[in-house]
PDB file of all heavy atoms in Angstrom:
ATOM      1  N   VAL C 138     107.080 112.357  26.445  1.00 98.00           N
ATOM      2  CA  VAL C 138     108.001 112.973  25.495  1.00 98.00           C
ATOM      3  C   VAL C 138     109.383 112.324  25.610  1.00 98.00           C
ATOM      4  O   VAL C 138     110.030 112.015  24.603  1.00 98.00           O
ATOM      5  CB  VAL C 138     108.083 114.495  25.738  1.00 98.00           C
ATOM      6  CG1 VAL C 138     109.153 115.132  24.863  1.00 98.00           C
ATOM      7  CG2 VAL C 138     106.723 115.142  25.480  1.00 98.00           C
ATOM      8  N   ALA C 139     109.811 112.076  26.838  1.00 99.00           N
ATOM      9  CA  ALA C 139     111.107 111.425  27.047  1.00 99.00           C
ATOM     10  C   ALA C 139     111.104 110.029  26.422  1.00 99.00           C
ATOM     11  O   ALA C 139     112.076 109.613  25.782  1.00 99.00           O
ATOM     12  CB  ALA C 139     111.415 111.330  28.541  1.00 99.00           C
ATOM     13  N   VAL C 140     109.994 109.329  26.581  1.00 99.00           N
ATOM     14  CA  VAL C 140     109.877 107.999  25.978  1.00 99.00           C
ATOM     15  C   VAL C 140     110.036 108.100  24.465  1.00 99.00           C
ATOM     16  O   VAL C 140     110.720 107.295  23.831  1.00 99.00           O
ATOM     17  CB  VAL C 140     108.513 107.361  26.352  1.00 99.00           C
ATOM     18  CG1 VAL C 140     108.242 106.114  25.525  1.00 99.00           C
ATOM     19  CG2 VAL C 140     108.481 107.035  27.844  1.00 99.00           C
ATOM     20  N   GLY C 141     109.435 109.133  23.882  1.00 99.00           N
ATOM     21  CA  GLY C 141     109.521 109.313  22.434  1.00 99.00           C
ATOM     22  C   GLY C 141     110.915 109.671  21.961  1.00 99.00           C
ATOM     23  O   GLY C 141     111.373 109.199  20.912  1.00 99.00           O
ATOM     24  N   LEU C 142     111.607 110.502  22.726  1.00 98.00           N
ATOM     25  CA  LEU C 142     112.990 110.839  22.370  1.00 98.00           C
ATOM     26  C   LEU C 142     113.832 109.565  22.357  1.00 98.00           C
ATOM     27  O   LEU C 142     114.640 109.338  21.451  1.00 98.00           O
ATOM     28  CB  LEU C 142     113.565 111.849  23.371  1.00 98.00           C
ATOM     29  CG  LEU C 142     113.070 113.289  23.216  1.00 98.00           C
ATOM     30  CD1 LEU C 142     113.323 114.102  24.478  1.00 98.00           C
ATOM     31  CD2 LEU C 142     113.742 113.950  22.013  1.00 98.00           C
ATOM     32  N   ALA C 143     113.604 108.720  23.353  1.00 99.00           N
ATOM     33  CA  ALA C 143     114.354 107.461  23.430  1.00 99.00           C
ATOM     34  C   ALA C 143     113.957 106.521  22.289  1.00 99.00           C
ATOM     35  O   ALA C 143     114.802 105.823  21.727  1.00 99.00           O
ATOM     36  CB  ALA C 143     114.109 106.792  24.777  1.00 99.00           C
ATOM     37  N   LEU C 144     112.686 106.555  21.934  1.00 98.00           N
ATOM     38  CA  LEU C 144     112.234 105.715  20.821  1.00 98.00           C
ATOM     39  C   LEU C 144     112.938 106.130  19.532  1.00 98.00           C
ATOM     40  O   LEU C 144     113.398 105.276  18.752  1.00 98.00           O
ATOM     41  CB  LEU C 144     110.718 105.837  20.669  1.00 98.00           C
ATOM     42  CG  LEU C 144     110.073 105.097  19.486  1.00 98.00           C
ATOM     43  CD1 LEU C 144     110.293 103.592  19.607  1.00 98.00           C
ATOM     44  CD2 LEU C 144     108.567 105.411  19.416  1.00 98.00           C
ATOM     45  N   ALA C 145     113.067 107.445  19.345  1.00 98.00           N
ATOM     46  CA  ALA C 145     113.754 107.933  18.141  1.00 98.00           C
ATOM     47  C   ALA C 145     115.195 107.441  18.123  1.00 98.00           C
ATOM     48  O   ALA C 145     115.706 106.988  17.082  1.00 98.00           O
ATOM     49  CB  ALA C 145     113.707 109.461  18.095  1.00 98.00           C
ATOM     50  N   ASP C 146     115.855 107.499  19.263  1.00 98.00           N
ATOM     51  CA  ASP C 146     117.240 107.020  19.316  1.00 98.00           C
ATOM     52  C   ASP C 146     117.311 105.530  18.998  1.00 98.00           C
ATOM     53  O   ASP C 146     118.158 105.083  18.237  1.00 98.00           O
ATOM     54  CB  ASP C 146     117.839 107.296  20.702  1.00 98.00           C
ATOM     55  CG  ASP C 146     118.109 108.791  20.929  1.00 98.00           C
ATOM     56  OD1 ASP C 146     118.362 109.505  19.932  1.00 98.00           O
ATOM     57  OD2 ASP C 146     118.024 109.236  22.086  1.00 98.00           O
ATOM     58  N   ARG C 147     116.400 104.784  19.572  1.00 98.00           N
ATOM     59  CA  ARG C 147     116.370 103.334  19.329  1.00 98.00           C
ATOM     60  C   ARG C 147     116.162 103.041  17.846  1.00 98.00           C
ATOM     61  O   ARG C 147     116.898 102.266  17.223  1.00 98.00           O
ATOM     62  CB  ARG C 147     115.248 102.702  20.158  1.00 98.00           C
ATOM     63  CG  ARG C 147     115.712 101.613  21.102  1.00 98.00           C
ATOM     64  CD  ARG C 147     116.008 100.323  20.396  1.00 98.00           C
ATOM     65  NE  ARG C 147     114.842  99.789  19.736  1.00 98.00           N
ATOM     66  CZ  ARG C 147     113.900  99.085  20.359  1.00 98.00           C
ATOM     67  NH1 ARG C 147     114.027  98.804  21.631  1.00 98.00           N
ATOM     68  NH2 ARG C 147     112.849  98.660  19.700  1.00 98.00           N
ATOM     69  N   MET C 148     115.181 103.736  17.246  1.00 98.00           N
ATOM     70  CA  MET C 148     114.869 103.452  15.844  1.00 98.00           C
ATOM     71  C   MET C 148     115.981 103.902  14.917  1.00 98.00           C
ATOM     72  O   MET C 148     116.162 103.345  13.852  1.00 98.00           O
ATOM     73  CB  MET C 148     113.534 104.104  15.466  1.00 98.00           C
ATOM     74  CG  MET C 148     112.344 103.460  16.169  1.00 98.00           C
ATOM     75  SD  MET C 148     110.759 104.152  15.654  1.00 98.00           S
ATOM     76  CE  MET C 148     110.510 103.264  14.103  1.00 98.00           C
ATOM     77  N   GLN C 149     116.753 104.905  15.350  1.00 98.00           N
ATOM     78  CA  GLN C 149     117.844 105.373  14.487  1.00 98.00           C
ATOM     79  C   GLN C 149     119.191 104.780  14.893  1.00 98.00           C
ATOM     80  O   GLN C 149     120.237 105.197  14.394  1.00 98.00           O
ATOM     81  CB  GLN C 149     117.883 106.909  14.494  1.00 98.00           C
ATOM     82  CG  GLN C 149     116.563 107.505  14.003  1.00 98.00           C
ATOM     83  CD  GLN C 149     116.656 108.982  13.647  1.00 98.00           C
ATOM     84  OE1 GLN C 149     117.600 109.675  14.011  1.00 98.00           O
ATOM     85  NE2 GLN C 149     115.648 109.456  12.922  1.00 98.00           N
ATOM     86  N   GLY C 150     119.150 103.819  15.819  1.00 97.00           N
ATOM     87  CA  GLY C 150     120.373 103.113  16.184  1.00 97.00           C
ATOM     88  C   GLY C 150     121.435 103.969  16.841  1.00 97.00           C
ATOM     89  O   GLY C 150     122.636 103.743  16.668  1.00 97.00           O
TER      90      GLY C 150
END
Side-chain angles (χ1 to χ4, degrees):
Chain C
V138 174
V140 169
L142 285 162
L144 176 62
D146 288 331
R147 237 284 299 278
M148 292 184 80
Q149 301 195 344

